[in-house]
Amino acid sequence: MAPNTPLLYAVIGNPIEHSRSPLIHRAFARQLGIELAYEKIWAPIDGFEETVTAFVEKGGRGMNVTVPFKLQAFDLAGQHSERARRALAANTLVFPANPDEPIYADNTDGVGLVNDLAFHGVKISGRRLLILGAGGATRGVLAPLLQEAPRELVVANRNPDRAYGLVEEFSDAAGDCLLSGCPLAGIEESRFDLIINATPASLSAQLPPLPDALIGAGTAAYDMAYGAEPTVFMQWAEERGAQALDGLGMLVEQAAESFALWHGKRPDTAPVREQLRQEIREAAERDAED
């Protein structure tokens, strides 16, 4: 690569049009004075590996991975971070300068969530946590949450067997935390300090069946989804006096972790959060005018 050629990075997915990763990483790069090119790459469902290979051959240095390719990204890599191994999925790839060396895979979703909660002053250590859903989103954040030493963590899922399976798989990472699973409709009706919605329900404006006893003024309710307006889960929480947060900050924080892995420098996420929030509001206003 020529000396003045920007470093080449990308996000890959299917679909990919919605991704805001280019905006985030370009903002980080401007902040730290790093020259980079960052693009969106659509890959066919059966063409992930070929698409990645083509990107590497044209000089790609690193890649963010979104749905539905996180499992394939993990399998493609020959070297993995501990958090990627725990999640069995990767959202960040580092391509070696020497093609004979293995691709390195990381998963920054969990640390992105933990860092976002810290940004908002939400404490995890010694607290009671409830996670709604037992899919890939929950798998990706369980180990980092357990590392923060909550007092109790409950995984609730419509199919309780999936929740029980995650509990068994992550029991070695629980330490002194009481880790358990239950059916979504069978959550013990007692107050939690933090409730995380890791289900896709908000994407279709639906609310999981939740009793009011779970939440109160001392509860933080975190939805991994985000948009121009509060999700139905956030509205439910706000109406009951809880602190309601969306997943936009998690998106920025996991990107900052990827950026630091690639460049060895950690950006300030606060201004990028504001920039992204404003961009989402303006896009919603434009759509409303059309």
Side-chain angles (χ1 to χ4, degrees):
M1 187 175 288
N4 295 325
T5 302
L7 302 174
L8 182 59
Y9 297 87
V11 58
I12 186 170
N14 182 340
I16 197 61
E17 296 79 13
H18 66 287
S19 176
R20 291 183 165 84
S21 291
L23 182 153
I24 295 170
H25 281 270
R26 289 167 188 162
F28 288 161
R30 285 193 299 272
Q31 182 187 118
L32 294 172
I34 295 173
E35 290 289 326
L36 64 75
Y38 191 106
E39 58 190 46
K40 299 178 187 180
I41 298 178
W42 176 90
I45 297 300
D46 59 352
F48 172 75
E49 184 171 348
E50 293 81 0
T51 306
V52 172
T53 298
F55 178 71
V56 173
E57 288 176 348
K58 72 173 186 176
R61 303 287 293 272
M63 184 175 271
N64 288 126
V65 183
T66 187
V67 292
F69 298 124
K70 293 184 181 183
L71 299 180
Q72 291 185 53
F74 180 87
D75 291 340
L76 180 63
Q79 192 175 4
H80 305 85
S81 69
E82 175 60 24
R83 53 199 183 193
R85 282 194 293 270
R86 297 278 356 191
L88 296 178
N91 73 341
T92 304
L93 297 176
V94 182
F95 304 121
N98 182 347
D100 294 328
E101 295 178 0
I103 295 172
Y104 180 78
D106 197 1
N107 189 312
T108 66
D109 286 331
V111 70
L113 171 61
V114 169
N115 288 347
D116 190 34
L117 290 168
F119 180 89
H120 290 288
V122 178
K123 295 184 178 180
I124 300 174
S125 178
R127 303 303 173 92
R128 296 189 73 227
L129 276 59
L130 170 64
I131 300 183
L132 309 174
T138 297
R139 171 183 284 280
V141 303
L142 259 184
L145 285 171
L146 289 169
Q147 286 174 358
E148 298 299 309
R151 175 163 57 94
E152 181 179 1
L153 194 158
V154 179
V155 180
N157 194 57
R158 288 189 187 277
N159 177 356
D161 288 342
R162 294 190 69 180
Y164 301 146
L166 281 182
V167 167
E168 181 177 359
E169 183 178 342
F170 284 83
S171 60
D172 65 314
D176 294 330
C177 174
L178 178 59
L179 178 62
S180 65
C182 69
L184 194 57
I187 304 169
E188 179 186 345
E189 294 194 21
S190 59
R191 186 73 52 84
F192 285 87
D193 299 302
L194 171 61
I195 303 175
I196 299 171
N197 182 21
T199 75
S202 291
L203 301 178
S204 54
Q206 296 179 343
L207 182 69
L210 301 171
D212 289 347
L214 303 181
I215 199 164
T219 304
Y222 191 100
D223 199 330
M224 287 191 182
Y226 65 90
E229 302 295 334
T231 67
V232 289
F233 174 77
M234 294 172 65
Q235 294 171 31
W236 172 79
E238 287 174 338
E239 289 166 1
R240 287 152 185 82
Q243 178 186 12
L245 303 167
D246 69 8
L248 180 141
M250 177 180 172
L251 176 69
V252 177
E253 292 293 343
Q254 64 83 19
E257 191 75 7
S258 295
F259 192 93
L261 179 64
W262 290 332
H263 305 288
K265 297 180 180 180
R266 181 168 296 280
D268 179 3
T269 59
V272 181
R273 288 166 174 267
E274 289 304 313
Q275 179 184 349
L276 184 56
R277 185 76 70 185
Q278 183 62 30
E279 167 100 1
I280 291 170
R281 290 197 192 102
E282 291 174 356
E285 290 171 1
R286 288 194 299 269
D287 290 343
E289 292 171 357
D290 290 344

